Amino acid sequence: VVDFVRTLSVVGAFKGSASGFDTQAFWRHSIASGVTAKLLLQRQEVSGKLNIGEEDPFMAGMVHDIGKQVLGYFYNEMGTMVYNVMRSGKTMYEVGQEILGITHADIGSALADKWQLPGSMIEVIGNHHSPMAQDRNDMVYLIHLADSCSKQVGFAFSEKKREASPNERVLEQLELDAEAVTTMFGEMESTIRTQVTDAFSAIVS
């Protein structure tokens, strides 16, 4: 119930539609990342290696890509330009850096700061594509993994396939290897799909 209310509040902050922006795919990916973050913390392979404390992994997963929503809704012309360039095979993060000089992670963390979200949440939004860019932040590691998992099980938004692989240094920090992570993601897929479908139907449709 708490997750439902929080999700509804985030979705409600962005009303209407924007040209060229797939709202449904965006929210499916966001919900999948939140669901996956919670499920990962229930896995023995992960839970004992992360210190999340009282922070909210579901909400961190929900808002990690909020900068994409801002770009698509309020700077639609720039967003459309980014999506067009992405067709060359580059990722949205790369295109933002090269074309705009600012990424959706930068935009999202600025919004999170304006919303006065906790510092750890701002770091998640700003660093989920570059999880080793700051001192160790276990929530950033968790959402980076959840983001990768949600893409691998079919809930990607605009990302290319190569973005679905977790950062190797994050895996080293958590004493995991790529094969074990792929197996773990596969075991979680059915549960993730069920929970995302139920949540999306109740909240967004």
Side-chain angles (χ1 to χ4, degrees):
V1 172
V2 171
D3 288 344
F4 178 90
V5 172
R6 289 174 175 171
T7 303
L8 197 60
S9 68
V10 173
V11 174
F14 298 90
K15 297 179 180 179
S17 60
S19 175
F21 187 84
D22 191 340
T23 303
Q24 293 196 356
F26 175 82
W27 288 122
R28 283 193 180 96
H29 173 68
S30 299
I31 294 169
S33 297
V35 165
T36 303
K38 291 185 68 175
L39 292 175
L40 282 169
L41 285 179
Q42 298 171 16
R43 302 280 306 201
Q44 187 176 10
E45 307 98 306
V46 176
S47 61
K49 300 167 184 175
L50 294 174
N51 180 19
I52 301 301
E54 298 299 317
E55 297 183 70
D56 186 347
F58 179 83
M59 186 52 61
M62 272 293 300
V63 302
H64 79 282
D65 263 344
I66 204 70
K68 292 180 180 179
Q69 184 79 303
V70 175
L71 191 61
Y73 266 58
F74 302 112
Y75 301 95
N76 186 254
E77 186 174 335
M78 286 195 297
T80 300
M81 179 173 61
V82 168
Y83 296 134
N84 288 337
V85 176
M86 284 173 63
R87 293 173 184 168
S88 67
K90 293 184 178 181
T91 69
M92 188 172 189
Y93 189 78
E94 291 169 340
V95 173
Q97 288 178 315
E98 296 175 12
I99 304 299
L100 303 181
I102 189 171
T103 70
H104 67 275
D106 298 324
I107 295 170
S109 61
L111 176 63
D113 184 56
K114 184 174 179 61
W115 279 355
Q116 298 183 346
L117 296 184
S120 177
M121 197 79 75
I122 295 172
E123 287 189 15
V124 164
I125 296 169
N127 293 314
H128 64 277
H129 283 292
S130 51
M132 307 306 295
Q134 77 293 303
D135 293 336
R136 175 167 176 142
N137 183 320
D138 284 1
M139 183 66 90
V140 173
Y141 290 175
L142 175 64
I143 300 307
H144 176 75
L145 279 181
D147 184 32
S148 297
C149 180
S150 65
K151 295 167 187 173
Q152 287 195 23
V153 301
F155 291 107
F157 174 55
S158 57
E159 297 81 3
K160 303 302 179 183
K161 184 176 180 181
R162 63 191 173 94
E163 286 189 275
S165 300
N167 184 290
E168 292 182 2
R169 291 180 62 193
V170 170
L171 298 186
E172 289 175 6
Q173 289 288 319
L174 302 181
E175 300 176 355
L176 296 169
D177 60 57
E179 184 177 352
V181 168
T182 299
T183 298
M184 178 172 64
F185 288 174
E187 292 172 352
M188 296 167 58
E189 180 172 355
S190 177
T191 303
I192 293 169
R193 287 187 170 278
T194 297
Q195 293 193 18
V196 171
T197 299
D198 290 348
F200 184 83
S201 298
I203 295 168
V204 180
S205 298

